[in-house]
Amino acid sequence: MWQKIQTVIEAIYPPRCLGCGDLVTSDFGLCGTCWRDTPFIGGTVCESCGVPLIGATDGHRIECDDCMAHPRPWTDGRSALLYSGRARRIILALKHGDRPELARPAGLWMARAAKPILCDRMLIAPVPLHWTRLARRRYNQSALLAQSVGRETGLPVCPDLLVRSVATPMLEGMTAAQRDELLTGAIGAHPRRRHRMTGQNVLLVDDVMTSGATFAACAQACLDAGANQVFVLALARVLRDT
Ligand SMILES: [Zn+2]
Ligand SMILES: [Zn+2]
């Protein structure tokens, strides 16, 4: 019966490529061309942010230059894509293009990238949006990604674990010191949710990691609220020189 319904749905809404809109044979996917053009991260990566690194590991923990220069308050982190080319277009469509359905395949890619850092007693939480921005954008793309990662991993999700009490401007183009100053005190644990992270590990989810300042403010808020360890997961990581 379900199979029949699926077939009918697919006949009415044939699956389309998320990158270009061409028809594809599998649902929630990319066509061959877009798949090749989407910079998925694989191989040896930075343990803190997930950027690809050249060479193989010798069993020791490795980090990229950026993470070594800015020690992170979180334990480990991963990213599914590099923020360039087709990945950038997918993220802009999810963020500003009113395409919330992109969160589903993105969550699948993120869950795959996060596999090495998933652990027991882990609670997934999105990076929060200030309510004024939420009202303008209608949805928090990070919350959609968190739900999707939760579905793929089977881990619990708390969409309002953290709250942003101050509407911070876009951080792009600011120095690290300016970002830190703006974010200090802007993000905190939801007073009625903080008990959920006591002694738990938190996996923070965001669409893009640039400097890591937002993740750092969120991770600090979790640790202050009694979280055991904090991990971060971004759909895409911006490389500094791109
Ligand atoms: Zn395509
Ligand atoms: Zn790194």
Side-chain angles (χ1 to χ4, degrees):
M1 180 64 186
W2 176 242
Q3 203 54 48
K4 259 188 191 160
I5 296 170
Q6 280 289 77
T7 312
V8 172
I9 292 171
E10 276 165 22
I12 304 168
Y13 303 104
R16 293 197 174 263
C17 171
L18 298 160
C20 67
D22 274 0
L23 292 175
V24 288
T25 45
S26 75
D27 210 352
F28 313 119
L30 294 164
C31 73
T33 311
C34 290
W35 188 269
R36 274 195 304 278
D37 290 352
T38 304
F40 286 96
I41 295 173
T44 306
V45 297
C46 166
E47 292 290 340
S48 287
C49 73
V51 290
L53 296 174
I54 296 159
T57 48
D58 54 0
H60 290 95
R61 181 191 171 81
I62 46 167
E63 288 188 331
C64 68
D65 293 344
D66 202 14
C67 289
M68 279 200 283
H70 306 98
R72 313 296 192 182
W74 62 82
T75 304
D76 284 331
R78 288 294 186 276
S79 306
L81 306 166
L82 284 180
Y83 190 74
S84 68
R86 199 153 310 252
R88 195 169 162 270
R89 277 167 52 189
I90 291 172
I91 285 153
L92 290 176
L94 172 68
K95 208 167 181 164
H96 306 293
D98 217 8
R99 299 272 315 272
E101 74 279 8
L102 295 179
R104 191 144 179 210
L108 180 76
W109 305 336
M110 291 168 84
R112 268 187 215 152
K115 220 165 187 181
I117 62 168
L118 298 181
C119 57
D120 289 338
R121 291 184 297 121
M122 194 172 233
L123 178 66
I124 299 174
V127 164
L129 267 188
H130 188 254
W131 66 270
T132 51
R133 195 162 284 165
L134 185 62
R136 230 176 310 142
R137 212 179 270 169
R138 292 203 307 115
Y139 59 86
N140 175 0
Q141 72 281 356
S142 302
L144 293 182
L145 292 171
Q147 296 287 6
S148 184
V149 173
R151 218 170 11 235
E152 294 299 332
T153 57
L155 292 168
V157 181
C158 185
D160 56 353
L161 189 70
L162 298 174
V163 286
R164 201 184 278 249
S165 49
V166 181
T168 41
M170 288 299 193
L171 299 177
E172 275 135 55
M174 289 188 187
T175 65
Q178 286 170 324
R179 288 167 195 245
D180 289 345
E181 198 191 308
L182 269 167
L183 286 164
T184 302
I187 294 170
H190 189 300
R192 285 200 298 276
R193 301 280 179 269
R194 59 185 304 141
H195 68 277
R196 290 197 62 180
M197 48 184 144
T198 313
Q200 297 288 306
N201 298 311
V202 177
L203 179 65
L204 294 168
V205 167
D206 206 358
D207 53 350
V208 179
M209 172 175 166
T210 307
S211 70
T214 309
F215 267 148
C218 292
Q220 201 52 59
C222 292
L223 293 170
D224 291 348
N228 181 34
Q229 289 190 82
V230 181
F231 299 81
V232 304
L233 176 60
L235 173 55
R237 172 79 161 106
V238 178
L239 282 184
R240 267 208 292 179
D241 298 324
T242 50

